[in-house]
Amino acid sequence: MKVKYTVEKGQDAHYLFIQGDLVGDEVGPKLVELVSDAVNDKIKTFVIDLSQVRYISSSGLGVLITMLTKMRNVGGEVYLTTPSEHVKKLLIITKLNNIFTVFDSVEAAREAISQ
């Protein structure tokens, strides 16, 4: 399944909603570019909604890590929201759950950001 995504630009954060399998191939550089755009817009928080992502490959994980690194390099943060059970397990196995802050919902992330 091809990846589709939409971006919602808030005042404090940009929100990325991904649908499909995140395998990082052709869409990876585009997603990383979205973080660069956010940084250029002086946005320090990037929220990635994973509720519609069924599968993430190792290169897909690489894309998420690159996005996080880019944000943290400017003192920002990337939050993940609503991972499926499969994605949650993957984050635990790879220990990325210790690196990323994961919220149960986009709303929970919005609340945390606005405090």
Side-chain angles (χ1 to χ4, degrees), residues 59-73:
S59 60
L61 288 175
V63 169
L64 293 178
I65 293 165
T66 303
M67 294 166 88
L68 180 67
T69 305
K70 266 187 178 295
M71 258 308 170
R72 287 196 176 161
N73 284 346

Side-chain angles (χ1 to χ4, degrees), residues 1 14 16 20 25 30 37 44-45 47 55 59 68 72-73 75 79 81 83-84 87-88 90 94 96 101 106 109 115:
M1 183 175 159
H14 285 186
L16 172 63
D25 43 16
K30 290 184 192 137
D37 293 347
K44 293 276 205 240
T45 309
V47 178
Y55 171 79
S59 60
L68 180 67
R72 287 196 176 161
N73 284 346
Y79 299 120
T81 67
S84 66
V87 172
K88 225 182 252 177
L90 188 64
T94 56
L96 289 176
T101 304
V106 173
Q115 289 177 353

Side-chain angles (χ1 to χ4, degrees), residues 96-113:
L96 289 176
N97 60 323
N98 299 327
I99 297 169
F100 284 98
T101 304
V102 182
F103 289 98
D104 289 337
S105 68
V106 173
E107 289 68 39
R110 279 187 215 272
E111 279 174 32
I113 293 161

